[in-house]
């Protein structure tokens, strides 16, 4: 959080600095500072867009430990079990390991980095290797965080929030409990997911 806020302040300062140079310098040279102004605007907006997910990521990591997974099923085409046409990973159901649950990448400005590394037949192997093995923390029935492996420190980087649409709390989308036990529901709730009360009867799954 502190790092994100610091970067935001830094890019806002860079934006004002570039604007000052455009105004203060002669017209024939001021255009040189236009590119830094546009880039600072883009980076500032990117940091603002990541501020809320970073809070959710912190909540997830406060409830679930990191796991280092290999050979996680993934795809860039529509998953056969869901309606949305998005990239996806599949993770085992914590209570039924034989059941695979898809988690989708709902598009945002930070999804492009992962899209390039998900790969096609023409993707360079070194790009694909950046997300193998995969860091994972969470419950795929509700909300989770994934991360790539830093080749230098062997620690998670490029943290990305994934969630089921039914766990977002958005208007018109009812939460579902996936037949999870009460402890799992309480844990997901503490992690920031919207889930039914454990005393309520189970709702149908989203697919």
């Amino acid at each position: 959080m502190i790092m994100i806020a610091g970067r935001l302040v830094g890019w806002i300062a860079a934006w004002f600095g570039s604007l000052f140079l455009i105004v203060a310098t002669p017209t024939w040279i001021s255009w040189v500072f236009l590119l830094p102004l546009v880039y600072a605007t883009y980076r500032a907006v990117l940091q603002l867009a990541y501020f809320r997910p970073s809070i959710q990521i912190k909540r997830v990591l406060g409830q679930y430990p990191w796991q280092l997974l290999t050979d996680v099923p993934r795809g860039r085409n529509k998953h056969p079990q869901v309606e949305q046409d998005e990239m996806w990973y599949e993770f085992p159901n914590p209570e039924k390991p034989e059941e695979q649950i898809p988690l989708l990448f709902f598009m945002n400005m930070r999804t492009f980095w992962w899209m390039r590394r998900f790969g096609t037949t023409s993707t360079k192997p070194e790009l694909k290797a950046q997300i193998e093995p995969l860091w994972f923390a969470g419950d795929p029935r509700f909300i989770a965080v994934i991360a790539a492996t830093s080749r230098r420190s062997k620690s998670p980087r490029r943290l990305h929030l994934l969630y089921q649409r039914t766990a977002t709390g958005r208007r018109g989308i009812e939460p579902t409990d996936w037949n999870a036990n009460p402890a799992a529901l309480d844990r997901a709730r503490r992690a920031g997911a919207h889930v039914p009360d454990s005393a309520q009867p189970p709702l149908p799954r989203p697919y």
Side-chain angles (χ1 to χ4, degrees):
M1 287 295 297
I2 296 176
M3 184 179 297
I4 293 172
R7 289 174 178 172
L8 177 60
V9 171
W11 286 114
I12 291 175
W15 187 89
F16 278 107
S18 300
L19 182 63
F20 172 79
L21 291 172
I22 290 174
V23 174
T25 55
T27 305
W28 64 272
I29 198 174
S30 62
W31 65 270
V32 175
F33 303 106
L34 182 60
L35 183 59
L37 179 71
V38 172
Y39 185 69
T41 302
Y42 164 74
R43 293 306 299 263
V45 170
L46 196 65
Q47 292 300 318
L48 280 172
Y50 195 57
F51 199 79
R52 182 177 179 181
S54 68
I55 297 175
Q56 295 177 306
I57 285 173
K58 186 176 181 179
R59 292 185 67 179
V60 173
L61 296 181
Q63 296 297 322
Y64 300 98
W66 281 117
Q67 304 175 56
L68 196 58
L69 307 178
T70 58
D71 299 322
V72 180
R74 66 176 188 257
R76 289 184 59 171
N77 299 323
K78 183 178 181 294
H79 192 280
Q81 295 181 355
V82 296
E83 296 179 359
Q84 295 82 10
D85 188 4
E86 305 284 357
M87 298 189 308
W88 50 269
Y89 269 117
E90 275 187 346
F91 300 98
N93 185 329
E95 296 182 38
K96 296 181 180 179
E98 70 280 2
E99 179 184 9
Q100 293 290 107
I101 297 176
L103 269 174
L104 306 184
F105 279 73
F106 295 106
M107 293 299 295
N108 59 53
M109 289 186 292
R110 288 181 171 265
T111 307
F112 182 70
W113 188 92
W114 289 88
M115 182 184 298
R116 289 189 62 205
R117 287 150 183 82
F118 255 56
T120 62
T121 54
S122 60
T123 302
K124 295 180 179 179
E126 54 266 30
L127 280 180
K128 294 182 179 180
Q130 292 179 17
I131 55 174
E132 179 67 32
L134 181 75
W135 291 87
F136 175 85
D139 188 327
R141 297 170 293 184
F142 307 109
I143 193 169
V145 176
I146 60 170
T149 299
S150 172
R151 297 303 174 186
R152 294 182 179 180
S153 61
K154 302 298 181 182
S155 58
R157 68 185 185 96
R158 294 279 180 175
L159 277 63
H160 193 85
L161 185 72
L162 297 179
Y163 50 83
Q164 297 291 348
R165 286 180 61 87
T166 52
T168 61
R170 294 174 182 170
R171 183 177 300 178
I173 301 179
E174 291 293 330
T176 182
D177 64 7
W178 289 79
N179 295 320
N181 63 57
L185 289 174
D186 289 341
R187 194 179 192 186
R189 189 180 294 109
R190 292 194 301 269
H194 289 258
V195 299
D197 185 86
S198 55
Q200 293 179 351
L203 296 173
R205 296 185 180 183
Y207 58 80

